[in-house]
Amino acid sequence: RLSNVLAGIGRGQMEVLPDRVAARRKNFEIYRENLNSIPGISFMEEAEGAYSNRWLTTILTPDFKTREGIRLTLETENIESRPLWKPMHLQPVFKDSPAYVDGVSQDLFNRGLCLPSGSNLIPSDLERIIEIITKTL
């Protein structure tokens, strides 16, 4: 059960949800328009018949070294980014558990980077992030 306060907050968020999704989709498009032509950088395409909220913009880089170079350079500029989620079989708590893997999840973790994606980003924020990534590569 939700308290009245939490229900009110939730209702208020539902009213602005379309605007938040539109802002995040726009962020994704700006990143893709500006970074897609860089060799080795790729974006996840939207599945046919689907409508992604693009809540998180991620890129795939050619390799771990490139991903870390971008991440660390952004960090020196006080811009937070992070690798894709660490696969479960690589997390210490599951080290003794059986794993049925083929290398895909580990490859995505090694090469994937989550970029700033907030719906409150302004054009100059995106321009700065894109410029830093472009210069890094």
Side-chain angles (χ1 to χ4, degrees):
R1 273 178 58 149
L2 290 177
S3 69
N4 289 344
V5 171
L6 290 177
I9 292 170
R11 257 190 99 203
Q13 288 299 302
M14 292 303 290
E15 291 176 7
V16 298
L17 184 60
D19 295 335
R20 301 286 194 269
V21 170
R24 288 179 183 251
R25 286 182 61 87
K26 184 175 181 180
N27 290 344
F28 174 86
E29 289 303 325
I30 291 169
Y31 279 129
R32 186 169 65 172
E33 287 169 10
N34 287 276
L35 299 174
N36 207 31
S37 63
I38 298 173
I41 300 296
S42 63
F43 291 80
M44 179 180 257
E45 294 300 321
E46 196 165 51
E48 188 174 329
Y51 183 83
S52 174
N53 62 23
R54 299 294 188 193
W55 209 251
L56 189 59
T57 294
T58 62
I59 58 173
L60 283 180
T61 64
D63 51 44
F64 174 80
K65 183 178 177 183
T66 304
R67 189 219 58 207
E68 273 303 280
I70 296 168
R71 188 185 69 76
L72 293 172
T73 301
L74 289 170
E75 187 176 281
T76 64
E77 296 291 330
N78 202 29
I79 298 171
E80 185 179 2
S81 64
R82 58 176 297 284
L84 289 181
W85 288 271
K86 190 175 215 174
M88 300 296 279
H89 72 282
L90 297 178
Q91 296 185 26
V93 69
F94 298 113
K95 69 180 166 88
D96 297 324
S97 299
Y100 305 95
V101 297
D102 62 3
V104 171
S105 62
Q106 191 161 344
D107 179 57
L108 291 172
F109 174 65
N110 287 336
R111 298 186 309 120
L113 184 67
C114 302
L115 300 177
S117 305
S119 50
N120 61 342
L121 290 172
I122 58 174
S124 61
D125 294 333
L126 291 164
E127 290 168 12
R128 182 169 168 245
I129 294 162
I130 290 164
E131 181 181 344
I132 291 167
I133 292 171
T134 303
K135 284 182 179 178
T136 301
L137 298 174

